[in-house]
Amino acid sequence: TQEVQRGISLNSAETSIINSYISDIHEVRTETQAICGWNGPGPFHIINNYIEGAGVNIMFGGSDPQIANLVPADIVIRGNHMFKPLTWKVGDPSYLGRHWAIKNLLELKNARRVTIDGNIFENNWVDAQAGIPIVFTARNQDGNAPWCVVEDVVFSNNTVTNTQGGVTILKTSAESKGAITSRITVTNNLFHRIGTFDAFTLLNAPNDIQITHNTVFKNGNIVTLDGDPGTPKGSGLVIRDNLF
């Protein structure tokens, strides 16, 4: 029942979090993260952990780095179980009565060369955000780090289950303050028990997106492209060999 804003702050050089159990990271009104890094270069290895956080289970970015031109890079997130207990969900029969602020399971706002492979992402619902578990959205969060990017990301061999959506990829926006998302591959994943929102939402035409060999079980739209159009040359979108 204690309010805890963050489990681990990854503001460091090479760091590994392996075979660990991180739970009950939550606050009522404040965004929390089980693991979050924004002011360290990496590389980072997050492997074979149970990770439980109300706001965001794992996030890179979200605050401007104080080191010029820093982008957390060479990140491996493999074999983890990212989970939000239904005891935190208002209206669920198991709800324990404390309304923690719920957002998503994985969010990249400033990260480069990221491998997200073989994880389970389980339980995400509408609360402080829309319940979309995976969010790739480059952000120059406070306006002082125009170099922020999310790029060269591979999301593969994961299971996403019991969530309101799948993956949202935003190229840029006024709120991004010039940061760009590009070169994202989503391949060989299972999306199961997906609710209201799409399995794949691409906003403002992010560059070089590949969605291949995924299996999706859901009603309604699978893919939505929305927002401002991309430039005809070099935008690059491939949706191929999926089972919807």
Side-chain angles (χ1 to χ4, degrees):
T1 59
Q2 181 178 345
E3 294 205 344
V4 182
Q5 184 174 10
R6 188 167 300 117
I8 297 176
S9 293
L10 275 182
N11 296 326
S12 53
E14 184 163 6
T15 306
S16 298
I17 302 170
I18 299 175
N19 303 335
S20 298
Y21 191 98
I22 302 168
S23 66
D24 282 311
I25 308 301
H26 42 42
E27 287 197 14
V28 173
R29 297 176 184 87
T30 304
E31 179 180 312
T32 57
Q33 307 96 26
I35 298 173
C36 184
W38 65 92
N39 199 43
F44 300 112
H45 315 99
I46 303 172
I47 298 171
N48 195 40
N49 305 286
Y50 175 85
I51 302 170
E52 182 185 283
V56 184
N57 295 50
I58 297 178
M59 183 164 77
F60 284 92
S63 184
D64 288 354
Q66 299 303 300
I67 300 170
N69 300 313
L70 185 139
V71 177
D74 302 304
I75 301 165
V76 177
I77 301 170
R78 176 173 286 127
N80 303 284
H81 188 183
M82 265 72 84
F83 186 78
K84 297 189 193 298
L86 295 179
T87 53
W88 298 353
K89 184 178 181 180
V90 176
D92 189 88
S94 66
Y95 179 57
L96 292 179
R98 187 70 66 91
H99 187 182
W100 311 116
I102 305 296
K103 287 197 170 180
N104 59 60
L105 294 165
L106 172 69
E107 185 166 8
L108 300 183
K109 291 186 171 183
N110 187 26
R112 174 182 287 136
R113 296 188 301 275
V114 186
T115 298
I116 305 154
D117 183 76
N119 304 281
I120 299 172
F121 297 89
E122 185 173 2
N123 296 345
N124 207 190
W125 54 88
V126 177
D127 193 274
Q129 281 186 350
I132 297 170
I134 314 298
V135 181
F136 301 141
T137 170
R139 295 291 173 100
N140 171 12
Q141 190 79 29
D142 303 314
N144 301 309
W147 60 82
C148 291
V149 293
V150 171
E151 63 186 19
D152 300 310
V153 177
V154 177
F155 185 86
S156 58
N157 303 309
N158 301 289
T159 298
V160 178
T161 183
N162 197 32
T163 64
Q164 281 298 306
V167 178
T168 290
I169 304 172
L170 171 68
K171 177 180 180 179
T172 193
S173 65
E175 293 78 14
S176 300
K177 302 182 181 70
I180 300 292
T181 302
S182 58
R183 299 194 298 277
I184 310 293
T185 297
V186 180
T187 187
N188 204 41
N189 302 285
L190 171 63
F191 296 85
H192 177 245
R193 298 172 65 203
I194 305 301
T196 304
F197 298 105
D198 297 2
F200 309 105
T201 303
L202 309 183
L203 302 174
N204 296 344
N207 297 325
D208 298 317
I209 307 301
Q210 297 204 30
I211 298 173
T212 63
H213 296 280
N214 300 284
T215 299
V216 179
F217 293 95
K218 78 177 300 295
N219 293 322
N221 285 0
I222 304 295
V223 183
T224 287
L225 316 179
D226 201 359
D228 296 331
T231 56
K233 183 178 180 180
S235 294
L237 170 62
V238 175
I239 301 175
R240 183 182 61 222
D241 298 329
N242 299 283
L243 175 62
F244 297 157

